Amino acid sequence: LRRPFLFPIIGPSGRSLTRMGHPHDPEGHSHHNSVWISHFKVNEIDFWGDRGKGRIGHQPIEKIADEGDVSWVVTHAAWIDEASNKTLLHERRRTQVHLLDNREWLLIFDLTFTAKNEIALGKTPFGPIGVRMAKTIGVHDGGGTIRNSNGQTNEKEVFWKRAKWVDYSGQIADKVVEGITLMDHPDNPNHPSYFHVRDDGWMGAALTFEGPIKITPTQPLHVRYGLYVHAGLPNREELDRRWTEFTRVKLVQPAGKKK
């Protein structure tokens, strides 16, 4: 794998709500693995796929903490242009898990990107976060449902629309409905985000949908995304409430890589 930190998202029933690879195009979409952080155009280099010249290399873990209902890990990664063997970006990621009632949970990605030279995240609907849902949850394959914070449903209405959150839910087992809500933080650039969402079972928040974002030595990029892993089909009001709770979570702000 050309991206580290991949793991399945387990729902309240104990089954994985995500899958490794596209159910109908495993070769062309081999980069669709569970939940991933990447970007299609970093100085025009493809870090989104797994066959381009961009590679995200795992670096030492900074810290791990288990505080009962809240646990987190701080990791580092280098975004490397393999053609020149140069590191374009340094990523500091805090991955935090909040245990909720009824075996539901909230996963938070808090990401800070720094660069020694000016770097452009180019205009694209791909990045920085994507989610490949389990096949049975997809609208096409399992009769699942996509909804967003505006009350729109499924790809025809949700595709490339701004929203605070997008929810993908469906049947994960016989008479068992579960799902994931991907949430954009209000402090992120270009909030509310455009979402790239398909009936074939994937969704992503598109940070640079309208245009590029520059990262410089004096101007890092900080973004935060949440994934609410839930049972059933929560109504829009409940998902709005969960989004508000996500926006109020206080995390220790990144202070730079430890020497």
Side-chain angles (χ1 to χ4, degrees), residues 45-202:
I45 295 170
D46 177 11
F47 283 82
W48 184 255
D50 54 9
R51 301 176 189 184
K53 298 184 183 301
R55 175 173 59 87
I56 302 175
H58 176 55
Q59 295 183 328
I61 293 173
E62 179 181 319
K63 189 172 184 180
I64 298 175
D66 185 350
E67 301 174 356
D69 288 343
V70 179
S71 300
W72 47 274
V73 58
V74 176
T75 55
H76 295 266
W79 291 44
I80 301 167
D81 171 12
E82 288 192 318
S84 64
N85 200 33
K86 291 183 178 180
T87 297
L88 302 182
L89 292 175
H90 175 264
E91 173 197 322
R92 186 178 193 266
R93 180 187 309 189
R94 179 176 173 127
T95 305
Q96 184 157 305
V97 173
H98 292 249
L99 301 182
L100 307 174
D101 292 337
N102 302 317
R103 301 186 67 183
E104 297 185 335
W105 52 291
L106 173 67
L107 174 64
I108 296 175
F109 291 112
D110 188 75
L111 307 160
T112 299
F113 297 96
T114 55
K116 292 183 178 180
N117 301 293
E118 183 175 298
I119 299 295
L121 300 184
K123 174 180 168 60
T124 176
F126 299 111
I129 185 169
V131 184
R132 166 53 64 182
M133 302 298 297
K135 182 177 180 179
T136 61
I137 293 178
V139 175
H140 284 328
D141 292 305
T145 303
I146 306 168
R147 298 170 294 157
N148 70 8
S149 58
N150 304 318
Q152 297 161 306
T153 60
N154 293 345
E155 180 181 329
K156 185 176 181 180
E157 297 181 7
V158 174
F159 183 66
W160 288 1
K161 297 295 194 305
R162 285 186 180 272
K164 297 184 298 184
W165 52 260
V166 165
D167 180 79
Y168 217 131
S169 298
Q171 186 167 278
I172 194 62
D174 185 35
K175 298 181 181 179
V176 179
V177 173
E178 296 178 344
I180 299 174
T181 311
L182 176 57
M183 301 182 287
D184 185 52
H185 196 279
D187 289 342
N188 290 347
N190 302 325
H191 175 84
S193 179
Y194 285 91
F195 280 84
H196 192 129
V197 188
R198 294 289 194 181
D199 285 347
D200 69 6
W202 97 277

Side-chain angles (χ1 to χ4, degrees), residues 224-235:
R224 185 179 299 176
Y225 298 97
L227 288 90
Y228 168 46
V229 182
H230 61 79
L233 195 66
N235 60 34

Side-chain angles (χ1 to χ4, degrees), residues 222-251:
H222 178 232
V223 292
R224 185 179 299 176
Y225 298 97
L227 288 90
Y228 168 46
V229 182
H230 61 79
L233 195 66
N235 60 34
R236 183 177 164 193
E237 290 72 22
E238 172 66 9
L239 293 178
D240 274 336
R241 183 178 71 83
R242 293 292 185 178
W243 177 84
T244 299
E245 290 176 352
F246 157 67
T247 68
R248 293 174 178 171
V249 171
K250 301 297 183 182
L251 304 183

